Amino acid sequence: MERQSGTGLLRIPDGTLPRRLARSAAAVEGGATPNAVVESWITERNLAHRHEVRRIEFGDLRQWGFDDVTGDLRHRSGRFFGVEGLEVHSDYGPVPHWSQPIINQPEIGILGILVCEIDGVLHCLMQAKSEPGNVNGVQISPTVQATKSNYTRVHGGRSVPYLDHFVDPAPERVLADVLQSEQGSWFYRKRNRNMIVEVDARDIGLEVPEDFRWLTLGQLHELLGKDDLINMDARTVLSCMPAGIEGTEADAVSDLAAAVARSSEQAAGSLHTTTEALSWITSRQTQHQVRTKPMPLNAVRGWVQSPTEIAHELGLFFTVIAVDITTNGREVSQWTQPLVRPHGMGRLALFVKRVDGVLHALLNARVEPGYLDVVELAPTVQCTPENYVLTPEADRPPFLDVVLRTRPEQVLFEARLSEEGGRFHHASSRYQIIEVPSGFPDTELEDYQWLTLNQLNELLRHSHYVNVQARSLIACLRGLR
Amino acid sequence: MERQSGTGLLRIPDGTLPRRLARSAAAVEGGATPNAVVESWITERNLAHRHEVRRIEFGDLRQWGFDDVTGDLRHRSGRFFGVEGLEVHSDYGPVPHWSQPIINQPEIGILGILVCEIDGVLHCLMQAKSEPGNVNGVQISPTVQATKSNYTRVHGGRSVPYLDHFVDPAPERVLADVLQSEQGSWFYRKRNRNMIVEVDARDIGLEVPEDFRWLTLGQLHELLGKDDLINMDARTVLSCMPAGIEGTEADAVSDLAAAVARSSEQAAGSLHTTTEALSWITSRQTQHQVRTKPMPLNAVRGWVQSPTEIAHELGLFFTVIAVDITTNGREVSQWTQPLVRPHGMGRLALFVKRVDGVLHALLNARVEPGYLDVVELAPTVQCTPENYVLTPEADRPPFLDVVLRTRPEQVLFEARLSEEGGRFHHASSRYQIIEVPSGFPDTELEDYQWLTLNQLNELLRHSHYVNVQARSLIACLRGLR
């Protein structure tokens, strides 16, 4: 057949992108911002952004209050977020029916990282940002972290720097753009728009305000291993970075790096084909049933409200508190708000093993009441061990015991990482990537499956597949060398 | 880096599948079932499956009744489906706020096609099935069409033939397995599991019951062009068939076939890269807001209930009716049920154009209240023109006028096709694929985008992307030669 006359309109993906990402990931010494400077920058930003956070009574919240009828805790404007009740029926886990407080934040925010080639190496524009719930001061955050309330300026604060690059970007400069869920035990169907947009140095200029620095992917991978330094929003956006970060087998600096590189290549193969992996996910979506129904906060059972907190009667799960924040470095200098304060230290562990030299990770199809669809893929283990002290042995999460008796040489990655400090108070969890022998018993548990990075990267281009905790660990996994 | 010792566990996708699908699609003369036999088979099955459908009053429904409090119409068992109310707030379309009756069927059913190589050519096992709402008698249906109520035998009927092949298939024999939505104006968050499973002739035997026949993809593509013959469930499953059906440019029998083949090849390029297409979908999900809230059926405004129907006060949209069915060929021989009877003949049109010889289709990111997520991709035009007689010109659907004045030579495909006859009464719509010039003004309407078959095939591996009307048209488009 004769081809119609060409008009030159057809396009194919940028074939140079994987190599450009790999080069940035290899630049562990940094480029525009030397490593030595990063540390002093953080120290200095910590001094510039002092947060004083003081617990107060709910009655002392300004602009926030409990609804007379439902007892829901809301902002007077109806925006930001609310704490409401949720009734849950589920066939997953040991408890089939419960009600709980949950954060309802229906607006979709933007989490965006600008990237730019500087001296031939891609850099990410990162922000040192302090949030009221942080265990420490500033953490390294995406270029932009904006709720709709932020960028429509409900609170009358200053405009969000660099936001314009994400509101209506030139399509061909977008490297990633996908709605991703957040914690389904704490949020009701919350999603944020995870975006990565490339700009040219000549268009943006490389001079940046004091809160911003250009960092390579290699630097970010190193910094992910520091406790409570790369914030949750940065981790989830980094997990959505296109394939290529993992480098190539030829350039690998270690056996592990080679296994990571091969894991990201479709041609290397996998224990399950992608069609099989998708079929497994479909079978889990179909198998599990979860019915949720929003309910008034004051009708939630098993939770106790005092002037200072809403807590589970057994002290489990989390507590809703109120705080007063005074800061010298944020859009507005003083405000009050509720925060959710988790009980106990979460444990997140992703098991990996090498199969014919290709790294595979063990994902768990997990039901959480706040997911839009039924299940999302979670790390191998995701729990707060303290919540299980009253739980019979048989009902404890699978593999938790393996995590608790892991030998140090099995741990490929470990750090304490924070959840979002704008909503959660001192929510810091231990994240680990644990290598198990290739002979690790292939579980017959049908909610678990071994997937390659190639498969996970592909799933991460879409919504509804990978939960925020797994995304954090995948961001760390992709940087392992 | 040295590769770890191989264990032979790694697998790659079946590289022969695209060629095998192409061969089946080229077999338009049939194989196991010659074309001449298909016609007589349908005629004979029509005689064997006589449905007598008689409209009755709601009060004459057995096992079904209106809830005393909510007025919802439900089966006494709580299963099958219910007709409830839905309150909708949306920023899409001319009407920002309304309430309506809607079908709630939370259980996920299975729509499955078994495929098998017979004399080296893949055949699909299709069923001649009669449904009470059909405008005619039997239609060609998937191998299996089973609600959960079906296969747990709530109504005490006979077992569903071939269902076992879909309940727990060997993972490597699954060609497609994905949850797909159904009509979001009529169903609240309904999804069915669309499955295609391959079996070996020696395992299944090629003798089939009278209601079943083995047909090639080429035969099915021809039959799709006949009015009301391939049913909706078969069309949606066929749309999920993996890439390859479209054939290759080298084997193309016409310019059109070559444009279809190139459209299915990633390497041929596209007007927008897949990253850009996904970003566009994300932007539409973010842009549009739709809030829905289930409500009691008796609180729905603008609808009028009589002993025989629930209808819109202006006679628009659809009517809920009750019917009594007597049949000689179904699991049970006599029953009553509600059906939804759409008002007017729907018009569904997919615009296609060739860009550098690569076929592109114009999809519309459309809000419907019953979608789980905010938007799904619909055909270029999807409407019932009669519902717009009262609508000002400016608020009528874009491109409807182009459809209404299309010249015959632009029409690549046209047939009247039925929606699901188990829920809808005489719901038959005119489906068209219309070729527009490559110079067709590239609309600045941000809810529309041109996509290739390669991109649509990729989206169809996932839930939440392509609506059921577009899936029907894509199944037809993939067979164009």
Side-chain angles (χ1 to χ4, degrees):
Chain A
M1 291 299 111
E2 203 171 322
R3 186 98 179 214
Q4 308 245 340
S5 64
T7 58
L9 289 169
L10 296 184
R11 297 168 45 234
I12 53 171
D14 171 10
T16 71
L17 183 61
R19 286 195 298 279
R20 296 195 295 130
L21 291 167
R23 196 179 307 138
S24 179
V28 289
E29 302 297 333
T33 313
N35 283 336
V37 173
V38 175
E39 204 166 324
S40 58
W41 172 60
I42 295 292
T43 306
E44 175 204 300
R45 289 297 92 199
N46 267 327
L47 293 172
H49 294 279
R50 289 196 315 273
H51 259 95
E52 274 176 42
V53 179
R54 195 166 51 84
R55 284 195 56 176
I56 57 175
E57 297 196 349
F58 291 120
D60 294 329
L61 284 168
R62 292 187 302 280
Q63 309 282 351
W64 292 83
F66 293 103
D67 183 273
D68 290 342
V69 177
T70 61
D72 293 348
L73 183 55
R74 330 198 114 277
H75 192 261
R76 191 178 293 169
S77 68
R79 307 197 75 164
F80 299 107
F81 63 94
V83 181
E84 307 175 356
L86 190 73
E87 173 141 42
V88 186
H89 292 263
S90 159
D91 68 347
Y92 182 96
V95 182
H97 177 211
W98 72 92
S99 59
Q100 65 166 83
I102 200 154
I103 304 173
N104 190 349
Q105 182 174 347
E107 295 176 344
I108 295 174
I110 291 175
L111 309 178
I113 293 182
L114 273 189
V115 299
C116 182
E117 260 192 22
I118 305 176
D119 294 336
V121 178
L122 279 176
H123 284 65
C124 299
L125 185 58
M126 305 304 287
Q127 183 181 179
K129 194 171 170 68
S130 181
E131 296 282 4
N134 285 359
V135 290
N136 48 3
V138 300
Q139 297 192 7
I140 295 178
S141 310
T143 318
V144 161
Q145 213 172 283
T147 62
K148 216 162 193 169
S149 301
N150 262 149
Y151 56 84
T152 52
R153 311 241 200 123
V154 172
H155 56 9
R158 292 195 289 272
S159 71
V160 176
Y162 301 107
L163 180 60
D164 291 348
H165 294 277
F166 298 94
V167 171
D168 195 18
E172 68 277 10
R173 304 314 299 273
V174 175
L175 306 190
D177 183 3
V178 58
L179 299 184
Q180 296 290 6
S181 68
E182 298 194 357
Q183 291 83 355
S185 300
W186 299 337
F187 281 115
Y188 188 61
R189 300 187 174 174
K190 180 180 179 194
R191 279 102 54 79
N192 270 326
R193 188 172 177 183
N194 287 238
M195 299 181 81
I196 303 170
V197 174
E198 186 169 357
V199 288
D200 287 334
R202 65 172 179 278
D203 293 332
I204 191 174
L206 298 178
E207 286 300 311
V208 291
E210 268 311 302
D211 284 340
F212 293 83
R213 285 294 178 268
W214 292 104
L215 301 177
T216 66
L217 289 167
Q219 285 178 299
L220 289 169
H221 288 148
E222 292 288 319
L223 296 170
L224 276 165
K226 313 269 187 204
D227 285 352
D228 298 311
L229 185 54
I230 305 284
N231 86 347
M232 184 191 92
D233 294 347
R235 299 194 304 270
T236 170
V237 180
L238 286 172
S239 78
C240 298
M241 196 67 74
I245 289 189
E246 301 83 358
T248 60
E249 189 176 345
D251 294 330
V253 296
S254 67
D255 276 346
L256 177 61
V260 167
R262 282 189 292 258
S263 183
S264 73
E265 284 165 23
Q266 185 172 10
S270 45
L271 277 171
H272 312 283
T273 66
T274 297
T275 299
E276 290 168 14
L278 292 172
S279 179
W280 168 69
I281 294 170
T282 301
S283 77
R284 298 304 87 206
Q285 297 277 19
T286 311
Q287 176 71 33
H288 291 299
Q289 306 223 342
V290 58
R291 282 182 297 125
T292 59
K293 202 166 117 182
M295 69 189 296
L297 182 59
N298 57 21
V300 166
R301 294 172 304 280
W303 293 71
V304 181
Q305 183 166 342
S306 76
T308 56
E309 63 180 32
I310 303 169
H312 189 262
E313 58 191 1
L314 300 176
L316 300 175
F317 310 121
F318 59 82
T319 301
V320 183
I321 63 173
V323 295
D324 174 288
I325 301 112
T326 311
T327 169
N328 59 352
R330 216 184 142 85
E331 293 90 344
V332 294
S333 59
Q334 211 266 352
W335 75 94
T336 62
Q337 70 169 84
L339 286 174
V340 166
R341 176 189 169 95
H343 168 78
M345 165 73 82
R347 291 296 294 258
L348 290 310
L350 188 63
F351 288 9
V352 297
K353 70 175 181 180
R354 300 183 214 193
V355 183
D356 284 3
V358 175
L359 206 70
H360 284 66
L362 188 58
L363 279 294
N364 170 25
R366 179 183 172 93
V367 172
E368 293 186 15
Y371 294 148
L372 183 64
D373 215 332
V374 180
V375 304
E376 294 196 9
L377 303 188
T380 318
V381 170
Q382 173 185 325
C383 70
T384 302
E386 293 166 51
N387 286 342
Y388 291 92
V389 290
L390 303 174
T391 307
E393 183 74 19
D395 286 338
R396 300 183 74 196
F399 305 116
L400 177 57
D401 293 340
V402 180
V403 171
L404 298 177
R405 60 167 196 265
T406 297
R407 297 185 311 277
E409 67 271 21
Q410 292 182 274
V411 179
L412 302 184
F413 173 90
E414 172 159 358
R416 210 177 60 194
L417 300 174
S418 292
E419 309 309 323
E420 225 274 280
R423 298 291 172 270
F424 304 110
H425 186 261
H426 294 195
S428 184
S429 301
R430 185 180 303 279
Y431 282 78
Q432 291 177 308
I433 299 174
I434 296 171
E435 181 161 7
V436 297
S438 39
F440 186 79
D442 245 3
T443 171
E444 291 302 309
L445 295 173
E446 42 183 23
D447 284 330
Y448 292 80
Q449 192 159 78
W450 292 99
L451 301 174
T452 61
L453 276 173
N454 169 255
Q455 294 174 323
L456 291 167
N457 288 344
E458 193 52 38
L459 293 178
L460 280 164
R461 303 180 76 186
H462 307 282
S463 305
H464 309 295
Y465 278 122
V466 184
N467 82 353
V468 64
Q469 294 88 348
R471 294 202 304 279
S472 276
L473 281 162
I474 289 167
C476 301
L477 179 59
R478 299 178 74 188
L480 289 187
R481 296 295 184 264
Chain B
M1 290 297 111
E2 205 172 320
R3 187 100 179 213
Q4 307 245 341
S5 63
T7 57
L9 289 169
L10 295 183
R11 296 167 48 234
I12 54 171
D14 171 11
T16 71
L17 183 60
R19 285 195 299 281
R20 296 194 296 131
L21 291 167
R23 196 179 308 138
S24 178
V28 290
E29 302 298 333
T33 313
N35 282 337
V37 174
V38 175
E39 204 166 325
S40 58
W41 171 59
I42 295 293
T43 306
E44 173 205 300
R45 289 296 93 200
N46 267 327
L47 293 172
H49 294 278
R50 288 196 314 274
H51 260 94
E52 274 176 42
V53 180
R54 195 166 52 83
R55 284 193 58 174
I56 56 176
E57 297 197 348
F58 291 119
D60 294 330
L61 285 168
R62 294 185 301 280
Q63 309 284 348
W64 292 83
F66 293 103
D67 183 273
D68 290 341
V69 177
T70 61
D72 293 349
L73 182 55
R74 327 199 115 278
H75 193 260
R76 192 177 292 168
S77 68
R79 307 195 75 164
F80 300 107
F81 62 94
V83 181
E84 307 175 355
L86 190 72
E87 173 142 42
V88 186
H89 291 262
S90 158
D91 68 347
Y92 182 96
V95 183
H97 178 212
W98 72 91
S99 58
Q100 65 166 85
I102 199 154
I103 303 174
N104 190 348
Q105 182 174 347
E107 295 175 345
I108 295 174
I110 291 176
L111 308 178
I113 293 182
L114 272 189
V115 299
C116 181
E117 260 192 21
I118 305 176
D119 294 336
V121 178
L122 278 177
H123 283 66
C124 300
L125 185 57
M126 305 304 288
Q127 184 181 178
K129 193 172 171 69
S130 180
E131 297 281 4
N134 285 0
V135 289
N136 48 3
V138 299
Q139 296 192 7
I140 295 178
S141 311
T143 318
V144 161
Q145 214 172 282
T147 62
K148 216 162 193 170
S149 303
N150 262 149
Y151 55 85
T152 53
R153 311 239 202 126
V154 172
H155 56 9
R158 293 195 289 273
S159 69
V160 177
Y162 301 106
L163 180 59
D164 291 348
H165 294 277
F166 298 95
V167 171
D168 195 17
E172 68 277 10
R173 305 312 300 272
V174 175
L175 306 191
D177 184 3
V178 58
L179 299 183
Q180 296 289 7
S181 68
E182 298 195 355
Q183 290 84 355
S185 300
W186 299 337
F187 281 116
Y188 188 61
R189 300 187 175 173
K190 179 179 181 195
R191 279 103 54 79
N192 269 327
R193 187 172 178 182
N194 288 237
M195 300 181 79
I196 303 169
V197 174
E198 186 169 356
V199 288
D200 287 334
R202 66 173 176 278
D203 293 332
I204 190 172
L206 298 177
E207 286 300 312
V208 291
E210 268 311 302
D211 283 340
F212 293 83
R213 284 295 177 268
W214 292 105
L215 301 177
T216 65
L217 288 167
Q219 285 178 299
L220 289 169
H221 288 147
E222 292 288 320
L223 296 170
L224 276 165
K226 313 269 187 205
D227 286 351
D228 298 311
L229 185 54
I230 305 285
N231 86 346
M232 184 192 92
D233 294 346
R235 299 194 305 269
T236 169
V237 181
L238 286 172
S239 77
C240 299
M241 197 67 74
I245 290 188
E246 301 83 358
T248 60
E249 190 176 344
D251 295 329
V253 297
S254 67
D255 277 346
L256 177 61
V260 167
R262 283 190 291 260
S263 183
S264 73
E265 284 165 24
Q266 185 171 12
S270 46
L271 277 171
H272 312 284
T273 66
T274 296
T275 299
E276 290 168 15
L278 292 173
S279 178
W280 169 69
I281 295 170
T282 301
S283 77
R284 297 304 87 204
Q285 297 278 17
T286 310
Q287 176 72 32
H288 291 298
Q289 305 223 342
V290 58
R291 281 181 298 124
T292 59
K293 202 165 117 181
M295 69 190 295
L297 181 59
N298 57 22
V300 165
R301 294 171 304 279
W303 293 72
V304 181
Q305 183 166 341
S306 77
T308 56
E309 62 180 33
I310 303 170
H312 188 262
E313 59 190 2
L314 301 177
L316 300 176
F317 310 121
F318 59 82
T319 301
V320 183
I321 63 173
V323 295
D324 175 287
I325 301 111
T326 310
T327 170
N328 59 351
R330 216 185 142 85
E331 293 90 343
V332 293
S333 59
Q334 210 267 354
W335 74 96
T336 62
Q337 70 169 83
L339 286 174
V340 166
R341 177 188 168 94
H343 168 79
M345 165 74 82
R347 291 297 294 259
L348 290 309
L350 188 64
F351 288 10
V352 297
K353 69 175 181 181
R354 302 183 213 193
V355 183
D356 283 3
V358 175
L359 206 70
H360 284 66
L362 187 58
L363 279 294
N364 170 25
R366 179 182 172 94
V367 173
E368 293 186 15
Y371 294 148
L372 184 63
D373 214 333
V374 179
V375 305
E376 293 196 9
L377 303 188
T380 318
V381 171
Q382 172 185 326
C383 70
T384 302
E386 293 166 51
N387 286 343
Y388 291 92
V389 290
L390 303 174
T391 308
E393 182 75 20
D395 286 338
R396 300 184 73 197
F399 305 116
L400 177 57
D401 293 341
V402 180
V403 172
L404 298 178
R405 60 168 196 264
T406 296
R407 296 185 311 276
E409 68 271 21
Q410 291 182 274
V411 179
L412 302 184
F413 173 91
E414 173 159 358
R416 210 179 59 195
L417 300 175
S418 292
E419 309 309 321
E420 224 275 279
R423 297 292 170 269
F424 305 109
H425 186 260
H426 294 196
S428 184
S429 301
R430 185 180 302 279
Y431 282 78
Q432 291 178 308
I433 299 174
I434 295 172
E435 181 161 10
V436 297
S438 40
F440 186 79
D442 246 4
T443 171
E444 290 302 307
L445 295 174
E446 41 183 24
D447 285 330
Y448 293 80
Q449 191 159 80
W450 293 98
L451 301 174
T452 61
L453 276 174
N454 168 254
Q455 294 174 325
L456 291 167
N457 288 345
E458 193 53 39
L459 293 178
L460 280 164
R461 303 181 76 186
H462 306 282
S463 305
H464 309 296
Y465 278 122
V466 184
N467 81 354
V468 65
Q469 294 89 346
R471 293 202 303 279
S472 277
L473 282 162
I474 290 167
C476 302
L477 179 58
R478 298 178 74 188
L480 289 186
R481 296 295 184 264

